[in-house]
Amino acid sequence: MHGMRQSELFTKTRKQAPKDEVSKNAQLLIRAGFIHKEMAGAYSLLPLGLRVFNNIVGVIREEINAIGGQEIVLTALQNPAHWKKSGRWSDDAIDVWFKTALKGGGELGLATTHEEPLTALMSEYVSSYKDLPKYVYQFQTKFRNELRAKSGIMRVREFVMKDLYSFSRNEKEFRTFYEQCAKAYEKIFRRVGIGDITYRTFASGGSFSKFSDEYQMLCDAGEDVIYVNKARKLAVNKEVYTDDVLAELGIAKADLTEEKAIEVGNIFPLGTRFSDELGLKYKDEGGKAISVVMGSYGIGPGRLMGAVAEALSDEKGLVWPKEIAPFKIHLLSIIGSDETIRGEADKLYELLKENDIDVLYDDRDVRAGEKFADADLIGIPTRLVISEKTVSAGGAEMSGRKNGPASLVSDSAVIQKIKGE
Ligand code: ATP
Ligand code: MG
């Protein structure tokens, strides 16, 4: 669907966010009608928000397909048997489990992550060195009983994760893919508009390996503290910020500045932790059984949407980068006393749609000031205004959300101008 009349959109902008909403991203997204707050840590996506979310998913999907990812969807319901094998069924191992008792006895969990079921699943398909390497990913719902849920859609109790898992024959093959994925991540963060404020960050490898890599976006509302070297475009998470680690990484303390940040993605070596426990092995050329070397790679598209809202918005409202904006063009008709303007605006709307340009058309009968304020709040990157003034000058006025000077574009040039942007 390329066009939408704002008069038909069921959501409306509002002046105030709910009183209990403390985060900037959710306040703006609620006021602009992108999301609905159901309760703490649980939000619903509305038409405008879903469009942004789907655009982010589209960018991630393209880049992960480009490095050989095969997309699947695993069930969110978790069979305790797999998790007992890895020792992660207990609340001591994963403290954010949502679990539920089954009516007929037994219990199940809601997925916090998917290493266990996918490793078990892959063991039914992988048997020989010829079956590897393989890269499998999904956009799938995770449930986490997070203690604090005060960061709007950046930390919620139910969220979609892009989780990718790599299955390699050995450490070298694994590392090659790991670096390919790091490059894909950099492209993703650039395309969604936060490339220049997002840092590959050395972080703890947890129980799996010495280090992992986090992608941290600088942000005052972030819950992580990182030490950044802007010139080298790298950072170190506070949790591994020790003299020993800095020496190992060849980074001097004096070249780092402390910043607050939010993790938007991570890549994680898993070694053979899960393949050992869940029996994922392959036979090498000599027929010897060897555990598959694994990695996991996560990005939360919803957190990314919140992070963009948090970092790029201004005092007037949201500011969407082109690739993920809900619409490319916001067309505003300013009717005044001349009803023929409505016809002119309708014509331009039809022209944009015919040319496959995503357009939100503010055709409502409201004051000009209200239309402009709403357009600022919604944050679509390019605005086209049709009024008596522009029609008598032979076109529409075009401007950027960040208030670049408006320029008159003639009706005949408008499509080319937009496509050339
Ligand atoms: P954090 O330290 O912020 O809790 P995490 O280490 O638990 O993150 P992972 O388990 O590695 O995160 O999840 C991968 C990605 O999923 C994160 O980089 C983030 O983008 C997203 N994510 C994680 N937890 C949440 C959440 N509660 N709400 C929304 N997105 C999340
Ligand atoms: Mg977490």
Side-chain angles (χ1 to χ4, degrees):
M1 180 192 56
H2 291 294
M4 173 139 213
R5 286 176 181 266
Q6 212 165 324
S7 60
E8 286 172 8
L9 194 60
F10 80 79
T11 60
K12 296 185 174 63
T13 60
R14 48 165 98 168
K15 294 263 181 312
Q16 302 289 332
K19 287 205 177 51
D20 66 340
E21 184 54 69
V22 294
S23 90
K24 176 176 151 193
N25 68 79
Q27 284 175 351
L28 281 170
L29 290 164
I30 292 170
R31 285 185 46 217
F34 284 62
I35 62 172
H36 170 77
K37 183 170 192 173
E38 189 61 30
M39 55 188 148
Y43 298 84
S44 304
L45 289 171
L46 304 176
L48 295 175
L50 183 59
R51 291 181 72 99
V52 174
F53 181 85
N54 284 339
N55 290 342
I56 294 173
V57 165
V59 167
I60 299 173
R61 181 176 279 131
E62 262 179 44
E63 297 299 342
I64 299 301
N65 284 344
I67 57 170
Q70 301 185 30
E71 187 170 354
I72 60 166
V73 178
L74 296 171
T75 170
L77 301 181
Q78 297 302 297
N79 178 351
H82 298 316
W83 296 83
K84 284 177 180 164
K85 283 188 191 155
S86 68
R88 295 210 296 173
W89 180 247
S90 100
D91 291 349
D92 298 330
I94 294 185
D95 61 359
V96 292
W97 270 117
F98 280 108
K99 292 175 183 167
T100 199
L102 288 170
K103 294 220 166 88
E107 54 179 347
L108 55 73
L110 299 178
T112 59
T113 177
H114 276 97
E115 279 84 3
E116 279 81 349
L118 183 59
T119 307
L121 184 158
M122 291 304 281
S123 72
E124 295 189 21
Y125 296 95
V126 170
S127 56
S128 147
Y129 66 95
K130 291 180 191 151
D131 299 326
L132 296 171
K134 289 286 177 284
Y135 311 111
V136 180
Y137 78 102
Q138 60 178 347
F139 293 93
Q140 196 356 11
T141 306
K142 312 296 184 218
F143 296 89
R144 293 185 183 180
N145 198 345
E146 301 271 5
L147 191 59
R148 296 155 287 122
K150 295 198 180 311
S151 298
I153 61 166
M154 298 199 300
R155 183 174 300 286
V156 286
R157 300 198 164 97
E158 175 194 348
F159 62 97
V160 170
M161 195 196 288
K162 184 286 293 168
D163 43 333
L164 163 69
Y165 303 86
S166 65
F167 301 91
S168 306
R169 283 171 281 211
N170 53 51
E171 191 62 26
K172 183 159 172 273
E173 194 171 76
F174 159 71
R175 276 289 156 192
T176 303
F177 181 76
Y178 191 84
E179 288 307 319
Q180 269 175 6
C181 187
K183 288 219 171 66
Y185 270 33
E186 273 146 35
K187 283 190 198 152
I188 290 166
F189 297 128
R190 218 180 306 136
R191 287 180 63 183
V192 303
I194 58 168
D196 52 343
I197 50 169
T198 301
Y199 287 81
R200 183 170 178 175
T201 304
F202 288 99
S204 154
S207 53
F208 309 124
S209 74
K210 184 152 188 195
F211 294 117
S212 67
D213 289 274
E214 291 172 347
Y215 284 82
Q216 293 275 2
M217 188 198 82
L218 303 186
C219 170
D220 288 336
E223 292 169 13
D224 289 351
V225 173
I226 62 170
Y227 295 85
V228 176
N229 183 321
K230 290 196 173 155
R232 284 173 63 189
K233 197 81 208 282
L234 57 78
V236 179
N237 193 307
K238 188 173 188 175
E239 57 183 25
V240 295
Y241 180 73
T242 64
D243 290 331
D244 284 357
V245 166
L246 292 181
E248 184 178 338
L249 300 173
I251 304 170
K253 247 190 185 149
D255 298 337
L256 297 172
T257 54
E258 187 179 293
E259 307 273 358
K260 288 177 89 178
I262 173 93
E263 180 197 305
V264 284
N266 69 16
I267 58 179
F268 224 103
L270 298 176
T272 58
R273 155 97 157 75
F274 295 101
S275 48
D276 284 340
E277 282 155 348
L278 289 138
L280 176 58
K281 292 183 193 306
Y282 71 93
K283 290 222 163 63
D284 70 5
E285 278 101 328
K288 196 169 133 216
I290 296 179
S291 290
V292 172
V293 177
M294 291 173 52
S296 72
Y297 313 77
I299 295 181
R303 179 177 290 189
L304 213 43
M305 176 172 157
V308 168
E310 194 80 34
L312 305 186
S313 59
D314 61 17
E315 67 294 342
K316 293 180 184 162
L318 297 160
V319 176
W320 297 109
K322 277 204 191 77
E323 281 239 33
I324 62 170
F327 291 91
K328 293 275 171 297
I329 299 289
H330 205 163
L331 172 64
L332 276 55
S333 61
I334 310 297
I335 309 291
S337 56
D338 183 357
E339 272 297 320
T340 63
I341 302 302
R342 193 185 304 279
E344 295 295 323
D346 283 353
K347 257 198 282 176
L348 183 51
Y349 175 56
E350 293 306 324
L351 181 71
L352 293 168
K353 283 199 301 181
E354 277 162 26
N355 283 277
D356 293 347
I357 293 166
D358 283 328
V359 52
L360 180 63
Y361 173 24
D362 192 349
D363 59 336
R364 297 173 302 163
D365 286 318
V366 300
R367 288 179 304 109
E370 192 174 334
K371 289 196 180 187
F372 286 118
D374 279 352
D376 282 338
L377 180 59
I378 290 170
I380 292 167
T382 303
R383 187 175 306 170
L384 277 177
V385 176
I386 286 209
S387 66
E388 244 172 275
K389 189 183 94 189
T390 72
V391 169
S392 59
E397 221 164 51
M398 187 161 158
S399 60
R401 163 63 179 78
K402 281 291 204 179
N403 278 344
S407 58
L408 192 86
V409 190
S410 67
D411 293 341
S412 57
V414 71
I415 298 303
Q416 220 182 351
K417 184 95 198 282
I418 291 168
K419 292 210 160 157
E421 286 249 305

